[in-house]
Amino acid sequence: MKQFRNTVIRAGLEALYLSGAHVLLRPILSGVGAIFMLHHVRPRRDGAFQPNRHLEITPEFLRVMLAHLRAQGIDIVTLDEVHQRLVERNFSRRFACFTFDDGYRDNRDFALPVLREFDAACAVFVVSDFAEGKGWPWWIALEMAIARASSVEVAIGGTATRINTASAAAKQAAFDRLHERLRSLPEHDLQREVRALCARHGVDESAICRELCMSWYELKAFAANPLVTIGAHSITHCNLAHQCEALASKELTQGRALIEAAIGRPVLHLAYPYGDRGAAGPREFALARTAGYKTAVTTRPGMIFPESAEHPTALPRVSLNGNYQDARILPVLTSGAATAMWNGFRRVDAA
Ligand SMILES: [Zn+2]
């Protein structure tokens, strides 16, 4: 299903590019700006099995993107500036904002040097457990377990099932199947399943954060860079919509308090973990507002329109997806045609 969706998106992007339709559509679709969503920025890795590759782009692609935006005369702004422009209804110039989820160390080591070349600001959304070294991005643990196994055993619907993971294609199919299933589970069942899988296949899940995510100590120095805004991304990276209201609220307030204490400055912006319709809806948008965040971003695809000012805690983003690192799609992404097509040409999606 995911592969099918990727194929459809890619075909759509290419059709838009090749037809030139994005240029014709631009005046009605482009909106006033875009908030780009990134995760990892790092050099391309070898290996046929990279199921999380959509979550990473290369420093070169980031550079091409920034050069494209600068050439278009688009302002590259902070989240504070996005918020201010929305509040003041100041849409005289188009803007782009770069946001990075999860707090990976490669943001500092590979993205920041490129951003610096263009004097471009960014925001990094930190999961407090990841910074603490006690949480773990389970989708990476799943990748590591499948990568090293020729078959994995999981309990599906209460029955132990063995899934072949011998070839790269089989690994990808197993990853897609398990990822979708795990995402639908309650938090502690998900944790239990992935922990069991890690134990069975010799993956040290506790090492993943230490290896990939910035620690509190590193974040303090990183946050001092004037180009960097640190935002919150919950305590545990759980699906907030799966939690009771009290727990969801705690994820938003306590996670932020821990980050503020560590970096010594206020945290005013939030990214919802997963951030799609199944993980962030009207209840979460209201909780973020009550918690006092100035903005909160989702992973719903879309450009920013003047109407977005009424929904600052339900802002859409445009994913810079590692599967589409082709300079030809940049005009399509910044025209808003791709996300508009996805949204059935609705401008605001905050329900
Ligand atoms: Zn995340």
Side-chain angles (χ1 to χ4, degrees):
M1 186 60 204
K2 201 166 98 195
Q3 202 51 46
F4 172 72
R5 213 174 75 158
N6 278 342
T7 308
V8 170
I9 297 172
R10 188 193 297 270
L13 286 171
E14 279 172 7
L16 281 166
Y17 170 76
L18 295 171
S19 67
H22 61 283
V23 177
L24 299 175
L25 293 170
R26 181 173 299 170
I28 49 167
L29 299 176
S30 58
V32 295
I35 302 174
F36 291 108
M37 169 176 63
L38 302 87
H39 290 80
H40 297 279
V41 176
R42 59 188 176 194
R44 200 182 292 275
R45 294 173 300 157
D46 293 331
F49 175 59
Q50 294 192 45
N52 289 304
R53 190 165 165 243
H54 60 288
L55 299 177
E56 66 181 86
I57 64 165
T58 63
E60 293 73 33
F61 187 66
L62 179 61
R63 185 176 289 113
V64 169
M65 179 77 194
L66 286 160
H68 172 76
L69 293 171
R70 286 289 189 226
Q72 301 281 309
I74 294 171
D75 294 342
I76 301 172
V77 302
T78 61
L79 277 173
D80 278 339
E81 177 78 18
V82 171
H83 179 255
Q84 192 173 339
R85 290 188 186 199
L86 287 173
V87 169
E88 294 173 352
R89 299 286 199 276
N90 169 13
F91 305 125
S92 55
R93 290 179 58 80
R94 293 181 70 206
F95 62 82
C97 177
F98 282 79
T99 64
F100 298 77
D101 289 10
D102 302 340
Y104 298 114
R105 188 174 290 120
D106 56 51
N107 298 172
R108 178 195 69 192
D109 295 344
F110 293 105
L112 187 60
V114 179
L115 290 159
R116 232 193 236 126
E117 289 171 29
F118 294 85
D119 195 28
C122 69
V124 173
F125 294 109
V126 169
V127 179
S128 61
D129 271 2
F130 290 4
E132 196 92 41
K134 67 182 186 196
W136 39 287
W138 62 267
W139 52 96
I140 297 174
L142 179 64
E143 173 181 345
M144 290 168 76
I146 292 176
R148 59 177 62 183
S150 56
S151 71
V152 295
E153 196 181 298
V154 284
I156 292 182
T159 330
T161 311
R162 186 158 283 282
I163 303 177
N164 170 34
T165 53
S167 68
K171 286 181 194 299
Q172 183 66 53
F175 182 91
D176 288 346
R177 182 174 170 194
L178 292 176
H179 186 274
E180 190 172 332
R181 192 186 110 72
L182 289 165
R183 271 241 23 213
S184 69
L185 292 179
E187 207 60 32
H188 73 274
D189 291 347
L190 185 160
Q191 301 261 343
R192 192 196 53 229
E193 290 289 330
V194 180
R195 244 178 245 288
L197 202 63
C198 285
R200 225 173 281 136
H201 299 287
V203 174
D204 178 4
E205 78 256 18
S206 66
I208 296 175
C209 275
R210 289 197 301 275
E211 192 188 322
L212 294 178
C213 298
M214 283 183 275
S215 67
W216 288 133
Y217 178 74
E218 292 172 288
L219 280 167
K220 189 173 165 65
F222 182 62
N225 188 301
L227 290 176
V228 173
T229 298
I230 299 291
H233 196 36
S234 81
I235 306 172
T236 62
H237 205 288
C238 63
N239 181 327
L240 295 173
H242 286 178
Q243 313 301 320
C244 69
E245 188 163 322
L247 272 183
S249 168
K250 183 180 161 199
E251 288 276 344
L252 299 189
T253 52
Q254 196 169 305
R256 177 181 58 191
L258 288 165
I259 301 169
E260 288 178 333
I263 66 170
R265 54 187 79 207
V267 169
L268 304 167
H269 305 277
L270 169 76
Y272 302 100
Y274 310 109
D276 57 14
R277 194 173 290 279
R283 186 191 75 167
E284 287 69 36
F285 303 155
L287 286 177
R289 235 185 350 261
T290 307
Y293 287 104
K294 280 161 83 171
T295 73
V297 294
T298 67
T299 59
R300 297 187 188 194
M303 310 294 276
I304 304 298
F305 289 92
E307 300 93 302
S308 309
E310 280 129 56
H311 308 281
T313 59
L315 297 176
R317 289 190 285 178
V318 176
S319 170
L320 283 189
N321 183 318
N323 289 323
Y324 315 116
Q325 298 185 66
D326 180 340
R328 294 184 314 165
I329 68 158
L330 293 176
V332 184
L333 283 180
T334 52
S335 77
T339 54
M341 211 169 63
W342 180 277
N343 288 328
F345 297 92
R346 262 177 314 169
R347 284 154 66 106
V348 169
D349 175 19

